Amino acid sequence: MDQETEFGYKLRQVLNHGTENFDRDIAKRLHAARQEALGHQRVAVRGMQLAGAGHFFADVVLGHSRVILAAVALLIGATGSYIWNEFEQAAENEEIDSALLSDDLPPAAYLDHGFRAWLERSSHSSQ
Amino acid sequence: MTRGLSPLASRTELSDFLAEVERRAFKQALYAVRDEDVALDIVQDAMMKLAEKYGDKPVTELPMLFQRILQNTIRDFYRRQKVRSTWTTLFSSLTPADDEDADPLETLQHEEGSKVRQTPQGFLEQSQLLGLIEKEIEKLPPRQREAFLMRYWEEMDIAETAAAMGCSEGSVKTHCSRATHTLAAALKAKGVTL
């Protein structure tokens, strides 16, 4: 260590002694200043979890909003169509059931093979 | 979480850094402006600027950035003062000329026991010595004072000091050398040895 550096570090020891015995009021005000500064600290955005989630929502969800909306619409349409077909089928069955029940002929007659054969023959001969 | 090679400063790290340097920063400002309230304002301003603008920088860059902000804030104070009244700037320029021929370092005693003494007498002597040294530091030209305090009190290397001062490394060496010679000569004249 050269003389200049040695002298500099000796002065440093004395100066440090001055900071150890510090005026209490000034130390308090410095502490308050530090706390205020920390309240304004600039923070890297990716360092925050909430900010990261916000970025995910903005970039991924909003970025593909058209595709997502189209997929949701397709799903709703397909479900609606399925439910509509089910209702139609139920209505047709209801009509057949009511026609059968309101007829004079009992439904059990249609299960008879002889009666079915006679029906087919009579329908062919009438044509 | 990283940008480049150095980790970014967290709130705790920034807090620790400011707590570590705030007293020295206050003293530095006080040597320059010689008014406690103004010095406190300067340190507060420098802390705020560091946190707001560079609070997301790597921890290793904080000492240099803080010193640069602190010195700029002190210079801003000088400029405002200059606008208000011209005679106060004359006061700050009334500093002793550098004595290049003298070699006071030869007269310095190499005492290992020049640390803080524990006795009341030693404490008093240490306080008196501190007062003397601080007065001589106040008298240094601003650039010499900046360079000297950054190099020896803040323990910044020559490159960091040059970056903080916005000058060449050669200028830092010159400022430091002149400051050291001036301080040594002033202390010798008062019969003080370290």
Side-chain angles (χ1 to χ4, degrees), chain A residues 32-43, chain B residues 11 14 18 44 47-56:
Chain A
R34 189 197 331 149
Q35 293 306 316
E36 196 180 338
L38 288 170
H40 290 78
Q41 184 183 5
R42 178 185 176 135
V43 180
Chain B
R11 182 186 162 90
L14 182 64
L18 290 176
Q44 183 173 9
M47 282 180 173
M48 191 68 84
K49 284 178 188 165
L50 181 79
E52 280 181 344
K53 295 182 181 173
Y54 304 102
D56 59 348

Side-chain angles (χ1 to χ4, degrees), chain B residues 136-149:
Chain B
E136 294 307 321
I137 289 174
E138 283 178 10
K139 290 179 190 171
L140 287 173
R143 298 291 277 174
Q144 286 185 27
R145 183 172 54 235
E146 282 174 32
F148 178 82
L149 292 175

Side-chain angles (χ1 to χ4, degrees), chain A residues 14-28:
Chain A
V14 181
L15 292 173
N16 279 341
H17 174 63
T19 60
E20 286 161 13
N21 304 286
F22 221 66
D23 182 276
R24 192 173 288 180
D25 179 52
I26 291 170
K28 219 170 168 180

Side-chain angles (χ1 to χ4, degrees), chain A residues 45-57:
Chain A
V45 173
R46 59 189 154 173
M48 292 180 67
Q49 293 300 316
L50 284 176
H55 267 285
F56 173 79
F57 182 78

Side-chain angles (χ1 to χ4, degrees), chain B residues 86-155:
Chain B
T86 50
W87 68 269
T88 45
T89 55
L90 289 172
F91 184 65
S92 65
S93 65
L94 289 174
T95 50
D98 293 336
D99 189 355
E100 297 290 343
D101 297 328
D103 189 10
L105 293 174
E106 290 178 359
T107 63
L108 292 171
Q109 293 178 11
H110 296 263
E111 289 180 359
E112 290 301 316
S114 60
K115 292 168 185 146
V116 180
R117 289 132 182 137
Q118 298 298 320
T119 61
Q121 175 72 17
F123 187 81
L124 180 66
E125 282 175 11
Q126 193 76 15
S127 297
Q128 286 173 338
L129 176 63
L130 175 67
L132 275 174
I133 291 171
E134 287 187 331
K135 273 204 174 119
E136 294 307 321
I137 289 174
E138 283 178 10
K139 290 179 190 171
L140 287 173
R143 298 291 277 174
Q144 286 185 27
R145 183 172 54 235
E146 282 174 32
F148 178 82
L149 292 175
M150 277 190 235
R151 282 283 290 125
Y152 295 115
W153 207 13
E154 297 298 328
E155 294 186 278

Side-chain angles (χ1 to χ4, degrees), chain B residues 50-64:
Chain B
L50 181 79
E52 280 181 344
K53 295 182 181 173
Y54 304 102
D56 59 348
K57 291 283 180 188
V59 186
T60 50
E61 291 181 23
L62 294 183
M64 189 278 287

Side-chain angles (χ1 to χ4, degrees), chain B residues 2-3 10 12-13 16 25 57 71 79 92 97 99 112 122 135 137 156 158 160:
Chain B
T2 57
R3 182 184 296 174
S10 66
T12 312
E13 286 167 331
D16 290 346
K57 291 283 180 188
Q71 303 308 331
R79 286 193 199 104
S92 65
D99 189 355
E112 290 301 316
K135 273 204 174 119
I137 289 174
M156 290 164 66
I158 291 173
E160 281 179 317

